């Protein structure tokens, strides 16, 4: 079965600094990859997704992610973090039919003023 | 914009009681899902449902759980005899077809006392 590893449990960055959240997946074929954001007490909001095609995908709120097959990674980036980006970020992987999505443990982002 | 809705937002129940969590997926969606998130942990896949039957389920989804689409709009998760460890946030999700992204509801927080 597919699985996801998010190596960083908690990251703190200063407002205006760049951000990279790491995600590694395990799956035998080309996966469907996702990044979701969850604010405290809220549901999951999709930031971006990769199904096929261009390996650099753009999402909402200025986020982007790059699919690197050779590294089994799908890292999330943002060039300049805003205080409102403080939240929990989940990477997820699904099989080709996107039927059972598996989530990573999440990375909690704290933004310092 | 259409969205997935879930009721109630918070459910408190006593151990051993049955609970039914309700979801209204987006109207033209065909695939339906339940996930759970124990406090502070990752989101876990429970079950997927298509064409009025379960298409996949995880090891968490044991005989205490069942799902149903009783009419054309609702999708329910029933826990027959709740345990303390069932306390979690339960998310419903839906999507249109194979490969499409899943849209998540806001979740129902279940507290078992």
């Amino acid at each position: 079965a597919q699985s996801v590893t998010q190596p960083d449990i908690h990251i703190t960055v200063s407002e205006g600094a760049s951000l990279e959240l790491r995600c590694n997946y395990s799956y035998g074929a080309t996966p469907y990859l996702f990044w979701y954001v969850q604010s405290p007490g809220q549901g999951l909001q999709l930031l971006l997704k990769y199904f096929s095609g261009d390996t650099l995908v753009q999402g909402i709120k200025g986020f982007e992610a790059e699919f690197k097959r050779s590294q089994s990674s799908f890292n999330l980036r943002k060039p300049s973090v805003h205080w409102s980006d403080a939240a929990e970020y989940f990477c997820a992987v699904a099989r080709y039919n996107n039927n059972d999505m598996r989530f990573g443990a999440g990375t909690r982002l704290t933004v310092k003023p | 914009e259409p969205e997935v809705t879930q009721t109630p937002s918070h459910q408190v129940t006593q151990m051993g009681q049955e609970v039914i969590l309700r979801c209204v997926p987006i109207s033209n969606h065909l695939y339906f899902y339940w996930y759970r998130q124990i406090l502070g942990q990752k989101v876990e896949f429970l079950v997927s449902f298509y064409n009025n039957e379960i298409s996949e389920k995880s090891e968490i989804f044991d005989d205490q759980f069942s799902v149903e689409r009783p009419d054309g709009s609702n999708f329910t998760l029933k826990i027959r005899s709740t345990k303390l460890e069932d306390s979690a946030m339960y998310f419903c999700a839906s999507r249109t077809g194979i490969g499409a992204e899943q849209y998540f509801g806001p979740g129902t927080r279940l507290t078992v006392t």
Side-chain angles (χ1 to χ4, degrees):
Chain A
Q2 66 276 31
S3 65
V4 177
T5 301
Q6 293 181 247
D8 305 304
I9 296 172
H10 185 200
I11 283 183
T12 300
V13 300
S14 298
E15 190 168 15
S18 64
L19 171 70
E20 182 168 31
L21 302 183
R22 296 184 291 164
C23 171
N24 293 97
Y25 69 89
S26 173
Y27 181 55
T30 300
Y32 286 8
L33 294 161
F34 308 83
W35 275 99
Y36 284 86
V37 61
Q38 184 181 36
S39 298
Q42 301 297 309
L44 296 161
Q45 182 181 24
L46 180 69
L47 286 175
L48 47 77
K49 62 183 185 287
Y50 171 78
F51 285 177
S52 64
D54 192 348
T55 56
L56 183 64
V57 292
Q58 303 296 320
I60 62 171
K61 304 184 180 186
F63 286 93
E64 67 176 26
E66 186 171 12
F67 170 57
K68 293 185 177 180
R69 184 189 301 275
S70 61
Q71 298 176 20
S72 298
S73 70
F74 189 57
N75 295 347
L76 182 72
R77 300 194 293 252
K78 186 170 184 177
S80 177
V81 167
H82 188 261
W83 65 266
S84 59
D85 293 325
E88 188 93 19
Y89 290 80
F90 293 95
C91 181
V93 62
R95 294 179 292 163
Y96 74 95
N97 62 358
N98 193 17
N99 214 30
D100 59 337
M101 195 182 307
R102 306 293 169 141
F103 285 79
T107 297
R108 184 158 60 91
L109 174 66
T110 298
V111 180
K112 293 191 304 186
Chain B
E1 184 177 326
E3 57 184 23
V4 177
T5 59
Q6 292 185 241
T7 54
S9 57
H10 189 193
Q11 172 96 43
V12 181
T13 189
Q14 290 191 322
M15 197 168 50
Q17 295 297 304
E18 174 184 286
V19 294
I20 297 176
L21 309 183
R22 302 182 192 280
C23 169
V24 179
I26 297 173
S27 62
N28 64 336
H29 286 192
L30 302 175
Y31 296 78
F32 313 110
Y33 306 85
W34 283 102
Y35 295 82
R36 80 171 185 191
Q37 184 182 31
I38 295 171
L39 186 64
Q41 298 186 25
K42 67 179 177 181
V43 178
E44 300 172 292
F45 168 77
L46 291 178
V47 65
S48 61
F49 190 87
Y50 170 72
N51 201 26
N52 282 318
E53 61 182 26
I54 291 173
S55 46
E56 302 198 49
K57 61 182 181 179
S58 72
E59 56 278 4
I60 302 168
F61 194 88
D62 61 23
D63 292 344
Q64 291 299 311
F65 292 89
S66 62
V67 289
E68 191 178 32
R69 188 153 162 83
D71 53 43
S73 58
N74 290 283
F75 179 52
T76 62
L77 174 69
K78 182 195 290 186
I79 308 175
R80 245 178 286 283
S81 177
T82 51
K83 303 188 282 283
L84 293 176
E85 54 265 38
D86 293 326
S87 295
M89 182 75 92
Y90 289 80
F91 293 104
C92 174
S94 69
R95 64 180 172 96
T96 52
I98 289 177
E101 67 183 81
Q102 296 182 26
Y103 288 81
F104 283 78
T108 292
R109 179 166 299 284
L110 177 65
T111 302
V112 183
T113 62

